[in-house]
Amino acid sequence: MVSQAITKYPSDTSNISVIPFAINHLWVRDTGPVYVRGVGKSIKQRFAIKFQFSEWGKKYDIGRHDRVSDRFDWPVMTPEQIEENGSFARRVIQSDVTPSPVTLVESQICLEGGALVVDGEGTLLATESSVINENRNPGLSKIAIEAELHRLLGVEKVIWFPGRKDLDVTDVHADAEVNFVRPGVVVLSRPHSSVPRSWVEVYEEIRDTLGQSVDAKGRPFEVHIVDEPNPQVFGVLSSNDPATNYVNFYFVNGGLILPQFGDIRRDQEALVLFQKLCPDRIVRPVFVSALPLAGGVIHCATQPVLSNE
């Protein structure tokens, strides 16, 4: 596919690098490094954080947990494969040498990139269930975890949502519920009426918290609701809980890649909303079918790499 893209867009070949890695998950948002900018004299340096990855807190308990919405079991992985997943972020950083080497920043906190939703101006949104959880960070208080997030990410304010432990494999990642379009403006995913009540409660808690909060700059949030599609577009599943939300989009230079699921009405409503909210970007709708059944969408399967420009 990359070769085809190079042929179709030959002027962009210098912008494409393929570095193959062995990995047991396609969820690079969670297993990959989180790139950050330096400050002061280090502003031109590239830094990337390696958070600890433990199979979403289930490293030692994989056998008891369902893997995806269609109730496939977790894959049986050897200790070597689990280590392969845990060391993925470090290997990416070591291999990323263009346009300049990347400085590894290792944290003892265990979390995944999908748990972090930031606005780039000091505000972080996260769920307590996916970070302040004994399955990931036993013995660490909210205060200690916040201090580490302030240090690593440069955030000034963390807004916590309760989330739900064990509601899904991630313990409810924030990037599946809410995302920034730009600082001060967020899109919030409203579950379809057919899904379990717990998901509606998660949505209501996030909506209410945002309505009562201000961001790191003191601005109230401008919240736009985007309705999720009917999960029945994927046919009869043993569990009606595929990952079907439009807020799991992905920003690229000058554009936004928006997932589409096959619910014509909801897909179109989401497209119109994002085109309205992002008039300076090309909003490109992309149909996805396998990703939602595996438990994520486009944002979950991508991780941006910071340049030094």
Side-chain angles (χ1 to χ4, degrees), residues 5-39:
I6 290 174
T7 301
K8 187 174 182 181
Y9 305 103
S11 63
D12 294 335
T13 55
S14 62
N15 296 328
I16 300 174
S17 299
V18 179
I19 307 173
F21 281 105
I23 187 69
N24 292 289
H25 301 299
L26 65 83
W27 309 119
V28 68
R29 176 69 55 168
D30 293 344
T31 58
V34 176
Y35 282 72
V36 294
R37 293 189 183 279
V39 294

Side-chain angles (χ1 to χ4, degrees), residues 23 46 81 121 129 142 158 191 211-212 255 260 264 306-307:
I23 187 69
R46 300 202 299 153
Q81 288 174 311
E121 293 190 358
S129 56
K142 179 190 285 189
V158 183
Q212 300 165 10
Q260 304 275 271
I264 297 175
L306 186 71
S307 72

Side-chain angles (χ1 to χ4, degrees), residues 84-96:
E84 192 175 77
N85 299 337
S87 65
F88 178 69
R90 182 184 295 108
R91 289 184 285 131
V92 170
I93 293 169
Q94 291 170 345
S95 299
D96 185 5

Side-chain angles (χ1 to χ4, degrees), residues 74-279:
W74 278 79
V76 177
M77 290 186 288
T78 64
E80 291 76 19
Q81 288 174 311
I82 292 177
E83 170 58 26
E84 192 175 77
N85 299 337
S87 65
F88 178 69
R90 182 184 295 108
R91 289 184 285 131
V92 170
I93 293 169
Q94 291 170 345
S95 299
D96 185 5
V97 296
T98 302
S100 64
V102 180
T103 300
L104 165 66
V105 180
E106 187 138 11
S107 174
Q108 294 308 306
I109 286 184
C110 182
L111 58 75
E112 305 84 38
L116 307 171
V117 173
V118 296
D119 67 350
E121 293 190 358
T123 309
L124 167 65
L125 311 178
T127 61
E128 294 187 15
S129 56
S130 68
V131 181
I132 309 171
N133 191 325
E134 288 295 306
N135 69 2
R136 290 173 175 82
N137 295 297
L140 284 181
S141 67
K142 179 190 285 189
I143 293 175
I145 291 173
E146 274 200 28
E148 179 73 342
L149 293 174
H150 283 287
R151 181 182 75 87
L152 294 173
L153 303 177
V155 296
E156 302 166 19
K157 183 172 185 177
V158 183
I159 297 176
W160 294 102
F161 311 121
R164 290 291 186 282
K165 294 180 181 179
D166 290 325
L167 186 55
D168 70 344
V169 69
T170 72
D171 298 301
V172 184
H173 272 177
D175 76 340
E177 309 304 319
V178 62
N179 220 330
F180 283 100
V181 171
R182 57 184 172 273
V185 182
V186 299
V187 283
L188 174 61
S189 189
R190 179 159 53 193
H192 189 265
S193 59
S194 65
V195 307
R197 174 65 190 172
S198 296
W199 286 111
V200 178
E201 293 171 353
V202 168
Y203 154 76
E204 291 173 343
E205 289 169 350
I206 295 175
R207 180 198 61 196
D208 294 346
T209 300
L210 290 172
Q212 300 165 10
S213 304
V214 295
D215 66 11
K217 303 300 183 184
R219 296 170 293 210
F221 289 98
E222 179 183 321
V223 180
H224 296 268
I225 307 298
V226 56
D227 286 304
E228 295 181 9
N230 188 337
Q232 293 181 358
V233 295
F234 294 105
V236 178
L237 303 175
S238 56
S239 173
N240 290 325
D241 197 20
T244 50
N245 67 82
Y246 300 100
V247 303
N248 205 258
F249 60 82
Y250 183 61
F251 280 128
V252 297
N253 295 343
L256 184 153
I257 302 175
L258 181 70
Q260 304 275 271
F261 302 97
D263 182 329
I264 297 175
R265 175 187 171 191
R266 296 303 188 199
D267 285 354
Q268 182 62 24
E269 289 174 349
L271 178 59
V272 170
L273 174 64
F274 279 91
Q275 287 174 332
K276 178 181 177 181
L277 293 176
C278 305

